[in-house]
Amino acid sequence: MSGHTTLAPAGTAAKRKEARTVILSSYLGSTIEFYDFLLYATAAAVAFPKVFFAGTDEWVGVVAAYATFAAGYVARPLGGVIFGHFGDKVGRKGMLIISMAMMGIASTLIGVIPGAGVIGPWGAVILVLLRVCQGIAVGGEWGGAALMALEHSDPKRRGFAASFVNAGAPTGAVLGTLVMGAFSALPQDAFLAWGWRVPFLLSFVLLIVGMFVRLRVSESPIFAEAVAKEEAQGAKRMIPLLDVLRRPKALIMIMFAGAAGFGLQVVLPTFSVTYAVSKGAPQQGVLYAFAGASAISIVFVLLGGRLSDRFGRRPVMIAGLALFIAYLFPMFGMLGSGNVGMVFVAFTVALILHSSLYGPLAAFVSEQFGTTSRYTGAAVGYQLATLIGAGFTPGIIAGLYKDSGQNILPVVVFLSVMALVSIVFIALTRESKNNDLTTVR
């Protein structure tokens, strides 16, 4: 075997330094990936309905734009399978480099797609294809980044270390929303003609920065040792996906346990932004309110991971979901106030509560699998959770809202039921904070 057995330096100080570098790499990589992925969510709320679905009713265009958004979530499990297979066979690092390159290129190309006025429906078709590429890339990125952070870290701080990967999501959301918000200040015609494209074109700059950091890290020591042990014993390695599927319980539990977290997460930059603007709040102010709330939430994502190291993954995650259910009605009340200050408070509280679930989630998912199938299991389980939780949620709730005469009650009921289902599955899943990650299977 070659290329995947580079071990971290032997000294304790050197190992800690290497762990910090890996965590930074995972954080930056996740930030860049989610900048690109969630930038699409913002654009789907404020630009795509008019650029690619011009001529339709306002809320019909919104639902259609969210349908293209869902394509990325449909593709994420496929990315988990592809990158997970090679990540468990060849190594974590190489797959992370490929996934980052794929995401950066796809996002840059989104910025140059002609609108419906130029090439008609083909613009939407190309948009969906590139969104699928984004989904495959982020499907591979998350699993590798989480595992690199987890497998390089102190066993007592795994939740905290892995939470940096999930902290990349709000960081990416902040960057994406700030950039899109800045360009949304342009006159509407200019914004729709070219302004929304610039944030996507900037993805190429972020790609270069991310590659510089990512190329400097070493392979996961736990993975390298597991492979070396198998080779020494002459053991025949099973196909990682088959290894995961022969014990499907962990995959199913993770899928439903994490679904609500992604559903609630994606509602905020999509439907909630559209809802707040439709109630009279200025579009740029709403985008900046979400960006500010996302920035605050970064600290709470890390805190959620740290609390899970002390109290366990399950209690922290269940508490966050339960509180979010209680908060849904007040949240939409503030979002519908037309006041940017109230919208900011609504987003901030929502994201703080969500952080209690999201912070521990990376460790919770990854710790359910053995070393030589961990990339596949974690990536596929996580991405299936995003698919059922987030892929169709914006479109579903936008449809519920439209069909009910713009009544928010069906939206709250749908999100509450989703959260309750996840609470049940988290409670039924074994606590994982003390699992031995060196177990091969």
Side-chain angles (χ1 to χ4, degrees), residues 57-95:
D57 174 78
E58 180 183 358
W59 278 99
V60 171
V62 169
V63 173
Y66 288 164
T68 70
F69 174 78
Y73 284 92
V74 173
R76 283 174 70 159
L78 176 61
V81 171
I82 296 170
F83 283 92
H85 174 82
F86 290 103
D88 284 325
K89 284 286 190 179
V90 179
R92 315 325 194 186
K93 178 180 174 180
M95 295 304 103

PDB file of all heavy atoms in Angstrom, residues 57-95:
ATOM      1  N   ASP A  57     -45.754  32.661 -11.316  1.00  0.00           N
ATOM      2  CA  ASP A  57     -46.230  33.261 -10.071  1.00  0.00           C
ATOM      3  C   ASP A  57     -45.096  33.271  -9.048  1.00  0.00           C
ATOM      4  O   ASP A  57     -44.247  32.372  -9.039  1.00  0.00           O
ATOM      5  CB  ASP A  57     -47.405  32.442  -9.527  1.00  0.00           C
ATOM      6  CG  ASP A  57     -47.866  32.918  -8.168  1.00  0.00           C
ATOM      7  OD1 ASP A  57     -48.560  33.934  -8.104  1.00  0.00           O
ATOM      8  OD2 ASP A  57     -47.490  32.254  -7.165  1.00  0.00           O
ATOM      9  N   GLU A  58     -45.071  34.294  -8.181  1.00  0.00           N
ATOM     10  CA  GLU A  58     -43.940  34.467  -7.251  1.00  0.00           C
ATOM     11  C   GLU A  58     -43.658  33.209  -6.432  1.00  0.00           C
ATOM     12  O   GLU A  58     -42.527  32.721  -6.387  1.00  0.00           O
ATOM     13  CB  GLU A  58     -44.220  35.641  -6.303  1.00  0.00           C
ATOM     14  CG  GLU A  58     -43.076  35.866  -5.298  1.00  0.00           C
ATOM     15  CD  GLU A  58     -43.386  36.981  -4.315  1.00  0.00           C
ATOM     16  OE1 GLU A  58     -44.467  37.597  -4.428  1.00  0.00           O
ATOM     17  OE2 GLU A  58     -42.547  37.226  -3.419  1.00  0.00           O
ATOM     18  N   TRP A  59     -44.694  32.647  -5.785  1.00  0.00           N
ATOM     19  CA  TRP A  59     -44.452  31.488  -4.921  1.00  0.00           C
ATOM     20  C   TRP A  59     -44.270  30.203  -5.727  1.00  0.00           C
ATOM     21  O   TRP A  59     -43.597  29.278  -5.282  1.00  0.00           O
ATOM     22  CB  TRP A  59     -45.581  31.333  -3.889  1.00  0.00           C
ATOM     23  CG  TRP A  59     -45.361  32.243  -2.724  1.00  0.00           C
ATOM     24  CD1 TRP A  59     -45.936  33.457  -2.502  1.00  0.00           C
ATOM     25  CD2 TRP A  59     -44.442  32.044  -1.640  1.00  0.00           C
ATOM     26  NE1 TRP A  59     -45.439  34.021  -1.351  1.00  0.00           N
ATOM     27  CE2 TRP A  59     -44.537  33.184  -0.797  1.00  0.00           C
ATOM     28  CE3 TRP A  59     -43.565  31.019  -1.294  1.00  0.00           C
ATOM     29  CZ2 TRP A  59     -43.771  33.320   0.355  1.00  0.00           C
ATOM     30  CZ3 TRP A  59     -42.809  31.152  -0.128  1.00  0.00           C
ATOM     31  CH2 TRP A  59     -42.910  32.288   0.679  1.00  0.00           C
ATOM     32  N   VAL A  60     -44.795  30.155  -6.950  1.00  0.00           N
ATOM     33  CA  VAL A  60     -44.507  29.011  -7.826  1.00  0.00           C
ATOM     34  C   VAL A  60     -43.030  29.013  -8.196  1.00  0.00           C
ATOM     35  O   VAL A  60     -42.363  27.972  -8.206  1.00  0.00           O
ATOM     36  CB  VAL A  60     -45.386  29.064  -9.102  1.00  0.00           C
ATOM     37  CG1 VAL A  60     -44.927  28.011 -10.112  1.00  0.00           C
ATOM     38  CG2 VAL A  60     -46.852  28.853  -8.738  1.00  0.00           C
ATOM     39  N   GLY A  61     -42.484  30.197  -8.500  1.00  0.00           N
ATOM     40  CA  GLY A  61     -41.062  30.314  -8.801  1.00  0.00           C
ATOM     41  C   GLY A  61     -40.191  29.929  -7.624  1.00  0.00           C
ATOM     42  O   GLY A  61     -39.143  29.293  -7.781  1.00  0.00           O
ATOM     43  N   VAL A  62     -40.635  30.306  -6.422  1.00  0.00           N
ATOM     44  CA  VAL A  62     -39.888  29.949  -5.214  1.00  0.00           C
ATOM     45  C   VAL A  62     -39.849  28.431  -5.034  1.00  0.00           C
ATOM     46  O   VAL A  62     -38.799  27.844  -4.776  1.00  0.00           O
ATOM     47  CB  VAL A  62     -40.513  30.621  -3.968  1.00  0.00           C
ATOM     48  CG1 VAL A  62     -39.919  30.043  -2.691  1.00  0.00           C
ATOM     49  CG2 VAL A  62     -40.288  32.132  -4.016  1.00  0.00           C
ATOM     50  N   VAL A  63     -41.003  27.782  -5.185  1.00  0.00           N
ATOM     51  CA  VAL A  63     -41.063  26.322  -5.038  1.00  0.00           C
ATOM     52  C   VAL A  63     -40.193  25.644  -6.089  1.00  0.00           C
ATOM     53  O   VAL A  63     -39.471  24.682  -5.803  1.00  0.00           O
ATOM     54  CB  VAL A  63     -42.519  25.826  -5.136  1.00  0.00           C
ATOM     55  CG1 VAL A  63     -42.564  24.300  -5.169  1.00  0.00           C
ATOM     56  CG2 VAL A  63     -43.352  26.355  -3.957  1.00  0.00           C
ATOM     57  N   ALA A  64     -40.220  26.146  -7.334  1.00  0.00           N
ATOM     58  CA  ALA A  64     -39.396  25.565  -8.400  1.00  0.00           C
ATOM     59  C   ALA A  64     -37.918  25.727  -8.102  1.00  0.00           C
ATOM     60  O   ALA A  64     -37.108  24.808  -8.317  1.00  0.00           O
ATOM     61  CB  ALA A  64     -39.741  26.227  -9.737  1.00  0.00           C
ATOM     62  N   ALA A  65     -37.524  26.895  -7.592  1.00  0.00           N
ATOM     63  CA  ALA A  65     -36.118  27.119  -7.251  1.00  0.00           C
ATOM     64  C   ALA A  65     -35.683  26.185  -6.129  1.00  0.00           C
ATOM     65  O   ALA A  65     -34.558  25.664  -6.135  1.00  0.00           O
ATOM     66  CB  ALA A  65     -35.906  28.579  -6.844  1.00  0.00           C
ATOM     67  N   TYR A  66     -36.557  25.958  -5.156  1.00  0.00           N
ATOM     68  CA  TYR A  66     -36.228  25.042  -4.063  1.00  0.00           C
ATOM     69  C   TYR A  66     -36.127  23.601  -4.553  1.00  0.00           C
ATOM     70  O   TYR A  66     -35.422  22.777  -3.966  1.00  0.00           O
ATOM     71  CB  TYR A  66     -37.276  25.143  -2.952  1.00  0.00           C
ATOM     72  CG  TYR A  66     -37.210  26.428  -2.150  1.00  0.00           C
ATOM     73  CD1 TYR A  66     -38.266  26.815  -1.345  1.00  0.00           C
ATOM     74  CD2 TYR A  66     -36.090  27.249  -2.193  1.00  0.00           C
ATOM     75  CE1 TYR A  66     -38.230  27.994  -0.610  1.00  0.00           C
ATOM     76  CE2 TYR A  66     -36.035  28.427  -1.463  1.00  0.00           C
ATOM     77  CZ  TYR A  66     -37.107  28.793  -0.676  1.00  0.00           C
ATOM     78  OH  TYR A  66     -37.061  29.945   0.059  1.00  0.00           O
ATOM     79  N   ALA A  67     -36.837  23.282  -5.633  1.00  0.00           N
ATOM     80  CA  ALA A  67     -36.726  21.935  -6.199  1.00  0.00           C
ATOM     81  C   ALA A  67     -35.322  21.701  -6.754  1.00  0.00           C
ATOM     82  O   ALA A  67     -34.752  20.622  -6.597  1.00  0.00           O
ATOM     83  CB  ALA A  67     -37.773  21.729  -7.290  1.00  0.00           C
ATOM     84  N   THR A  68     -34.742  22.722  -7.404  1.00  0.00           N
ATOM     85  CA  THR A  68     -33.356  22.584  -7.867  1.00  0.00           C
ATOM     86  C   THR A  68     -32.409  22.503  -6.679  1.00  0.00           C
ATOM     87  O   THR A  68     -31.397  21.799  -6.723  1.00  0.00           O
ATOM     88  CB  THR A  68     -32.944  23.761  -8.773  1.00  0.00           C
ATOM     89  OG1 THR A  68     -32.823  24.967  -8.002  1.00  0.00           O
ATOM     90  CG2 THR A  68     -33.948  23.979  -9.888  1.00  0.00           C
ATOM     91  N   PHE A  69     -32.739  23.217  -5.620  1.00  0.00           N
ATOM     92  CA  PHE A  69     -31.955  23.159  -4.387  1.00  0.00           C
ATOM     93  C   PHE A  69     -31.930  21.733  -3.841  1.00  0.00           C
ATOM     94  O   PHE A  69     -30.898  21.237  -3.387  1.00  0.00           O
ATOM     95  CB  PHE A  69     -32.585  24.115  -3.374  1.00  0.00           C
ATOM     96  CG  PHE A  69     -31.986  24.069  -2.000  1.00  0.00           C
ATOM     97  CD1 PHE A  69     -30.788  24.683  -1.732  1.00  0.00           C
ATOM     98  CD2 PHE A  69     -32.656  23.426  -0.960  1.00  0.00           C
ATOM     99  CE1 PHE A  69     -30.239  24.660  -0.457  1.00  0.00           C
ATOM    100  CE2 PHE A  69     -32.126  23.389   0.308  1.00  0.00           C
ATOM    101  CZ  PHE A  69     -30.904  24.017   0.558  1.00  0.00           C
ATOM    102  N   ALA A  70     -33.075  21.052  -3.931  1.00  0.00           N
ATOM    103  CA  ALA A  70     -33.171  19.688  -3.404  1.00  0.00           C
ATOM    104  C   ALA A  70     -32.278  18.719  -4.152  1.00  0.00           C
ATOM    105  O   ALA A  70     -31.846  17.705  -3.588  1.00  0.00           O
ATOM    106  CB  ALA A  70     -34.626  19.211  -3.474  1.00  0.00           C
ATOM    107  N   ALA A  71     -31.972  19.009  -5.417  1.00  0.00           N
ATOM    108  CA  ALA A  71     -31.134  18.095  -6.203  1.00  0.00           C
ATOM    109  C   ALA A  71     -29.781  17.862  -5.545  1.00  0.00           C
ATOM    110  O   ALA A  71     -29.221  16.766  -5.605  1.00  0.00           O
ATOM    111  CB  ALA A  71     -30.952  18.646  -7.618  1.00  0.00           C
ATOM    112  N   GLY A  72     -29.256  18.884  -4.908  1.00  0.00           N
ATOM    113  CA  GLY A  72     -27.979  18.736  -4.218  1.00  0.00           C
ATOM    114  C   GLY A  72     -28.065  17.759  -3.066  1.00  0.00           C
ATOM    115  O   GLY A  72     -27.124  16.989  -2.811  1.00  0.00           O
ATOM    116  N   TYR A  73     -29.188  17.761  -2.370  1.00  0.00           N
ATOM    117  CA  TYR A  73     -29.361  16.844  -1.251  1.00  0.00           C
ATOM    118  C   TYR A  73     -29.592  15.414  -1.724  1.00  0.00           C
ATOM    119  O   TYR A  73     -29.160  14.465  -1.070  1.00  0.00           O
ATOM    120  CB  TYR A  73     -30.519  17.321  -0.365  1.00  0.00           C
ATOM    121  CG  TYR A  73     -30.127  18.493   0.495  1.00  0.00           C
ATOM    122  CD1 TYR A  73     -30.324  19.792   0.054  1.00  0.00           C
ATOM    123  CD2 TYR A  73     -29.517  18.307   1.730  1.00  0.00           C
ATOM    124  CE1 TYR A  73     -29.936  20.882   0.832  1.00  0.00           C
ATOM    125  CE2 TYR A  73     -29.135  19.380   2.510  1.00  0.00           C
ATOM    126  CZ  TYR A  73     -29.343  20.667   2.060  1.00  0.00           C
ATOM    127  OH  TYR A  73     -28.949  21.728   2.819  1.00  0.00           O
ATOM    128  N   VAL A  74     -30.257  15.264  -2.864  1.00  0.00           N
ATOM    129  CA  VAL A  74     -30.430  13.924  -3.425  1.00  0.00           C
ATOM    130  C   VAL A  74     -29.077  13.318  -3.772  1.00  0.00           C
ATOM    131  O   VAL A  74     -28.842  12.116  -3.606  1.00  0.00           O
ATOM    132  CB  VAL A  74     -31.328  13.981  -4.685  1.00  0.00           C
ATOM    133  CG1 VAL A  74     -31.382  12.625  -5.370  1.00  0.00           C
ATOM    134  CG2 VAL A  74     -32.737  14.431  -4.305  1.00  0.00           C
ATOM    135  N   ALA A  75     -28.154  14.158  -4.250  1.00  0.00           N
ATOM    136  CA  ALA A  75     -26.834  13.682  -4.672  1.00  0.00           C
ATOM    137  C   ALA A  75     -25.869  13.453  -3.506  1.00  0.00           C
ATOM    138  O   ALA A  75     -24.871  12.739  -3.662  1.00  0.00           O
ATOM    139  CB  ALA A  75     -26.218  14.681  -5.646  1.00  0.00           C
ATOM    140  N   ARG A  76     -26.146  14.013  -2.352  1.00  0.00           N
ATOM    141  CA  ARG A  76     -25.197  13.908  -1.246  1.00  0.00           C
ATOM    142  C   ARG A  76     -24.943  12.467  -0.792  1.00  0.00           C
ATOM    143  O   ARG A  76     -23.788  12.096  -0.555  1.00  0.00           O
ATOM    144  CB  ARG A  76     -25.662  14.793  -0.074  1.00  0.00           C
ATOM    145  CG  ARG A  76     -25.366  16.255  -0.316  1.00  0.00           C
ATOM    146  CD  ARG A  76     -25.929  17.184   0.737  1.00  0.00           C
ATOM    147  NE  ARG A  76     -25.230  17.062   2.010  1.00  0.00           N
ATOM    148  CZ  ARG A  76     -25.240  18.006   2.952  1.00  0.00           C
ATOM    149  NH1 ARG A  76     -25.898  19.141   2.755  1.00  0.00           N
ATOM    150  NH2 ARG A  76     -24.610  17.815   4.079  1.00  0.00           N
ATOM    151  N   PRO A  77     -25.971  11.609  -0.667  1.00  0.00           N
ATOM    152  CA  PRO A  77     -25.664  10.219  -0.303  1.00  0.00           C
ATOM    153  C   PRO A  77     -24.786   9.517  -1.331  1.00  0.00           C
ATOM    154  O   PRO A  77     -23.937   8.688  -0.979  1.00  0.00           O
ATOM    155  CB  PRO A  77     -27.054   9.569  -0.213  1.00  0.00           C
ATOM    156  CG  PRO A  77     -27.986  10.695   0.072  1.00  0.00           C
ATOM    157  CD  PRO A  77     -27.426  11.858  -0.679  1.00  0.00           C
ATOM    158  N   LEU A  78     -24.974   9.827  -2.629  1.00  0.00           N
ATOM    159  CA  LEU A  78     -24.120   9.249  -3.666  1.00  0.00           C
ATOM    160  C   LEU A  78     -22.669   9.674  -3.441  1.00  0.00           C
ATOM    161  O   LEU A  78     -21.745   8.856  -3.568  1.00  0.00           O
ATOM    162  CB  LEU A  78     -24.600   9.700  -5.049  1.00  0.00           C
ATOM    163  CG  LEU A  78     -23.749   9.246  -6.239  1.00  0.00           C
ATOM    164  CD1 LEU A  78     -23.703   7.722  -6.315  1.00  0.00           C
ATOM    165  CD2 LEU A  78     -24.300   9.833  -7.544  1.00  0.00           C
ATOM    166  N   GLY A  79     -22.469  10.936  -3.099  1.00  0.00           N
ATOM    167  CA  GLY A  79     -21.118  11.398  -2.771  1.00  0.00           C
ATOM    168  C   GLY A  79     -20.550  10.670  -1.575  1.00  0.00           C
ATOM    169  O   GLY A  79     -19.358  10.331  -1.540  1.00  0.00           O
ATOM    170  N   GLY A  80     -21.416  10.413  -0.585  1.00  0.00           N
ATOM    171  CA  GLY A  80     -20.963   9.664   0.587  1.00  0.00           C
ATOM    172  C   GLY A  80     -20.511   8.264   0.234  1.00  0.00           C
ATOM    173  O   GLY A  80     -19.501   7.768   0.745  1.00  0.00           O
ATOM    174  N   VAL A  81     -21.259   7.600  -0.662  1.00  0.00           N
ATOM    175  CA  VAL A  81     -20.898   6.240  -1.076  1.00  0.00           C
ATOM    176  C   VAL A  81     -19.581   6.238  -1.847  1.00  0.00           C
ATOM    177  O   VAL A  81     -18.671   5.449  -1.561  1.00  0.00           O
ATOM    178  CB  VAL A  81     -22.015   5.627  -1.957  1.00  0.00           C
ATOM    179  CG1 VAL A  81     -21.545   4.307  -2.563  1.00  0.00           C
ATOM    180  CG2 VAL A  81     -23.277   5.408  -1.136  1.00  0.00           C
ATOM    181  N   ILE A  82     -19.452   7.125  -2.832  1.00  0.00           N
ATOM    182  CA  ILE A  82     -18.252   7.151  -3.675  1.00  0.00           C
ATOM    183  C   ILE A  82     -17.010   7.529  -2.879  1.00  0.00           C
ATOM    184  O   ILE A  82     -16.003   6.802  -2.873  1.00  0.00           O
ATOM    185  CB  ILE A  82     -18.444   8.130  -4.849  1.00  0.00           C
ATOM    186  CG1 ILE A  82     -19.573   7.649  -5.772  1.00  0.00           C
ATOM    187  CG2 ILE A  82     -17.141   8.284  -5.645  1.00  0.00           C
ATOM    188  CD1 ILE A  82     -19.977   8.671  -6.814  1.00  0.00           C
ATOM    189  N   PHE A  83     -17.071   8.657  -2.214  1.00  0.00           N
ATOM    190  CA  PHE A  83     -15.902   9.116  -1.471  1.00  0.00           C
ATOM    191  C   PHE A  83     -15.650   8.243  -0.249  1.00  0.00           C
ATOM    192  O   PHE A  83     -14.501   8.035   0.149  1.00  0.00           O
ATOM    193  CB  PHE A  83     -16.075  10.581  -1.061  1.00  0.00           C
ATOM    194  CG  PHE A  83     -15.846  11.552  -2.187  1.00  0.00           C
ATOM    195  CD1 PHE A  83     -16.902  11.991  -2.971  1.00  0.00           C
ATOM    196  CD2 PHE A  83     -14.581  12.016  -2.476  1.00  0.00           C
ATOM    197  CE1 PHE A  83     -16.703  12.877  -4.018  1.00  0.00           C
ATOM    198  CE2 PHE A  83     -14.354  12.906  -3.521  1.00  0.00           C
ATOM    199  CZ  PHE A  83     -15.421  13.335  -4.298  1.00  0.00           C
ATOM    200  N   GLY A  84     -16.729   7.743   0.364  1.00  0.00           N
ATOM    201  CA  GLY A  84     -16.561   6.866   1.518  1.00  0.00           C
ATOM    202  C   GLY A  84     -15.830   5.583   1.145  1.00  0.00           C
ATOM    203  O   GLY A  84     -14.952   5.123   1.871  1.00  0.00           O
ATOM    204  N   HIS A  85     -16.192   5.002  -0.002  1.00  0.00           N
ATOM    205  CA  HIS A  85     -15.536   3.760  -0.445  1.00  0.00           C
ATOM    206  C   HIS A  85     -14.027   3.964  -0.588  1.00  0.00           C
ATOM    207  O   HIS A  85     -13.230   3.212  -0.026  1.00  0.00           O
ATOM    208  CB  HIS A  85     -16.130   3.312  -1.781  1.00  0.00           C
ATOM    209  CG  HIS A  85     -15.430   2.129  -2.378  1.00  0.00           C
ATOM    210  ND1 HIS A  85     -15.716   0.834  -1.992  1.00  0.00           N
ATOM    211  CD2 HIS A  85     -14.435   2.045  -3.307  1.00  0.00           C
ATOM    212  CE1 HIS A  85     -14.937   0.001  -2.664  1.00  0.00           C
ATOM    213  NE2 HIS A  85     -14.158   0.714  -3.471  1.00  0.00           N
ATOM    214  N   PHE A  86     -13.641   4.974  -1.333  1.00  0.00           N
ATOM    215  CA  PHE A  86     -12.215   5.189  -1.566  1.00  0.00           C
ATOM    216  C   PHE A  86     -11.524   5.757  -0.326  1.00  0.00           C
ATOM    217  O   PHE A  86     -10.333   5.515  -0.111  1.00  0.00           O
ATOM    218  CB  PHE A  86     -12.015   6.098  -2.777  1.00  0.00           C
ATOM    219  CG  PHE A  86     -12.376   5.438  -4.075  1.00  0.00           C
ATOM    220  CD1 PHE A  86     -13.573   5.726  -4.714  1.00  0.00           C
ATOM    221  CD2 PHE A  86     -11.531   4.493  -4.646  1.00  0.00           C
ATOM    222  CE1 PHE A  86     -13.924   5.100  -5.901  1.00  0.00           C
ATOM    223  CE2 PHE A  86     -11.870   3.854  -5.839  1.00  0.00           C
ATOM    224  CZ  PHE A  86     -13.065   4.157  -6.464  1.00  0.00           C
ATOM    225  N   GLY A  87     -12.282   6.490   0.507  1.00  0.00           N
ATOM    226  CA  GLY A  87     -11.703   6.990   1.748  1.00  0.00           C
ATOM    227  C   GLY A  87     -11.375   5.877   2.716  1.00  0.00           C
ATOM    228  O   GLY A  87     -10.393   5.950   3.469  1.00  0.00           O
ATOM    229  N   ASP A  88     -12.178   4.805   2.711  1.00  0.00           N
ATOM    230  CA  ASP A  88     -11.922   3.649   3.564  1.00  0.00           C
ATOM    231  C   ASP A  88     -10.916   2.688   2.939  1.00  0.00           C
ATOM    232  O   ASP A  88     -10.285   1.888   3.642  1.00  0.00           O
ATOM    233  CB  ASP A  88     -13.232   2.894   3.854  1.00  0.00           C
ATOM    234  CG  ASP A  88     -14.099   3.601   4.882  1.00  0.00           C
ATOM    235  OD1 ASP A  88     -13.532   4.215   5.808  1.00  0.00           O
ATOM    236  OD2 ASP A  88     -15.337   3.549   4.767  1.00  0.00           O
ATOM    237  N   LYS A  89     -10.762   2.742   1.622  1.00  0.00           N
ATOM    238  CA  LYS A  89      -9.835   1.851   0.940  1.00  0.00           C
ATOM    239  C   LYS A  89      -8.452   2.473   0.755  1.00  0.00           C
ATOM    240  O   LYS A  89      -7.425   1.822   0.960  1.00  0.00           O
ATOM    241  CB  LYS A  89     -10.399   1.474  -0.446  1.00  0.00           C
ATOM    242  CG  LYS A  89     -11.520   0.452  -0.405  1.00  0.00           C
ATOM    243  CD  LYS A  89     -10.969  -0.925  -0.097  1.00  0.00           C
ATOM    244  CE  LYS A  89     -12.016  -2.010  -0.288  1.00  0.00           C
ATOM    245  NZ  LYS A  89     -11.480  -3.354  -0.008  1.00  0.00           N
ATOM    246  N   VAL A  90      -8.421   3.736   0.349  1.00  0.00           N
ATOM    247  CA  VAL A  90      -7.162   4.396  -0.016  1.00  0.00           C
ATOM    248  C   VAL A  90      -6.696   5.375   1.051  1.00  0.00           C
ATOM    249  O   VAL A  90      -5.505   5.467   1.335  1.00  0.00           O
ATOM    250  CB  VAL A  90      -7.328   5.128  -1.374  1.00  0.00           C
ATOM    251  CG1 VAL A  90      -6.042   5.840  -1.761  1.00  0.00           C
ATOM    252  CG2 VAL A  90      -7.751   4.147  -2.463  1.00  0.00           C
ATOM    253  N   GLY A  91      -7.620   6.123   1.637  1.00  0.00           N
ATOM    254  CA  GLY A  91      -7.224   7.090   2.655  1.00  0.00           C
ATOM    255  C   GLY A  91      -8.134   8.300   2.667  1.00  0.00           C
ATOM    256  O   GLY A  91      -8.815   8.600   1.670  1.00  0.00           O
ATOM    257  N   ARG A  92      -8.139   9.000   3.788  1.00  0.00           N
ATOM    258  CA  ARG A  92      -9.041  10.145   3.960  1.00  0.00           C
ATOM    259  C   ARG A  92      -8.560  11.375   3.182  1.00  0.00           C
ATOM    260  O   ARG A  92      -9.324  12.069   2.545  1.00  0.00           O
ATOM    261  CB  ARG A  92      -9.151  10.559   5.422  1.00  0.00           C
ATOM    262  CG  ARG A  92      -9.328   9.545   6.535  1.00  0.00           C
ATOM    263  CD  ARG A  92     -10.114   8.352   6.338  1.00  0.00           C
ATOM    264  NE  ARG A  92     -10.442   7.682   7.609  1.00  0.00           N
ATOM    265  CZ  ARG A  92     -11.053   6.530   7.671  1.00  0.00           C
ATOM    266  NH1 ARG A  92     -11.369   5.881   6.558  1.00  0.00           N
ATOM    267  NH2 ARG A  92     -11.353   5.986   8.837  1.00  0.00           N
ATOM    268  N   LYS A  93      -7.260  11.631   3.239  1.00  0.00           N
ATOM    269  CA  LYS A  93      -6.713  12.895   2.742  1.00  0.00           C
ATOM    270  C   LYS A  93      -6.968  13.095   1.249  1.00  0.00           C
ATOM    271  O   LYS A  93      -7.428  14.164   0.822  1.00  0.00           O
ATOM    272  CB  LYS A  93      -5.217  12.963   3.037  1.00  0.00           C
ATOM    273  CG  LYS A  93      -4.550  14.230   2.510  1.00  0.00           C
ATOM    274  CD  LYS A  93      -3.065  14.250   2.835  1.00  0.00           C
ATOM    275  CE  LYS A  93      -2.388  15.445   2.178  1.00  0.00           C
ATOM    276  NZ  LYS A  93      -0.935  15.488   2.493  1.00  0.00           N
ATOM    277  N   GLY A  94      -6.674  12.091   0.432  1.00  0.00           N
ATOM    278  CA  GLY A  94      -6.829  12.242  -1.014  1.00  0.00           C
ATOM    279  C   GLY A  94      -8.254  12.555  -1.415  1.00  0.00           C
ATOM    280  O   GLY A  94      -8.504  13.363  -2.321  1.00  0.00           O
ATOM    281  N   MET A  95      -9.216  11.926  -0.733  1.00  0.00           N
ATOM    282  CA  MET A  95     -10.615  12.165  -1.068  1.00  0.00           C
ATOM    283  C   MET A  95     -11.034  13.593  -0.731  1.00  0.00           C
ATOM    284  O   MET A  95     -11.852  14.201  -1.440  1.00  0.00           O
ATOM    285  CB  MET A  95     -11.509  11.169  -0.329  1.00  0.00           C
ATOM    286  CG  MET A  95     -11.300   9.718  -0.739  1.00  0.00           C
ATOM    287  SD  MET A  95     -11.512   9.437  -2.511  1.00  0.00           S
ATOM    288  CE  MET A  95      -9.782   9.307  -3.046  1.00  0.00           C
TER     289      MET A  95
END
